Amino acid sequence: MKKTYKIEVDCANCANKMEEAAKKTAGVRDATVNFMTLKLSVEFEEGQDPRTVMKEVLKNCKKVEDDCEIYL
């Protein structure tokens, strides 16, 4: 399953770091951040609950950029 979320991030470098943090989150097969459109696309592993996984993605992204927001 693949879903797209609106994100709030300040710079392209931070967006890249957030993408890497999202990719390393358990339950995420792949993730892409588009800084120009402020969108985060996440492909979830089979059988994962997107809401639960996205809470962990947000925690991991906040470690990179503490004022980032992902609108679930």
Side-chain angles (χ1 to χ4, degrees), residues 19 21-32 40-46 48 53-54 56-57 60:
E19 181 177 297
K23 285 181 179 181
K24 292 178 183 175
T25 304
V28 174
R29 179 175 290 154
D30 194 24
T32 306
L40 166 64
S41 296
V42 179
E43 184 177 350
F44 299 96
E45 292 179 355
E46 194 68 36
Q48 295 295 319
V53 173
M54 286 307 297
E56 292 304 311
V57 169
N60 290 340

Side-chain angles (χ1 to χ4, degrees), residues 4-66:
T4 302
Y5 302 90
K6 183 174 175 6
I7 63 167
E8 193 172 301
V9 61
D10 300 329
C11 68
N13 186 42
C14 296
N16 286 336
K17 290 179 181 177
M18 286 176 60
E19 181 177 297
E20 290 303 313
K23 285 181 179 181
K24 292 178 183 175
T25 304
V28 174
R29 179 175 290 154
D30 194 24
T32 306
V33 173
N34 185 321
F35 178 66
M36 296 302 290
T37 62
L38 296 177
K39 302 273 184 189
L40 166 64
S41 296
V42 179
E43 184 177 350
F44 299 96
E45 292 179 355
E46 194 68 36
Q48 295 295 319
D49 176 39
R51 283 187 115 20
T52 304
V53 173
M54 286 307 297
K55 287 178 185 177
E56 292 304 311
V57 169
L58 181 58
K59 283 183 195 175
N60 290 340
C61 286
K62 284 195 176 276
K63 291 176 187 174
V64 172
E65 184 69 28
D66 63 348

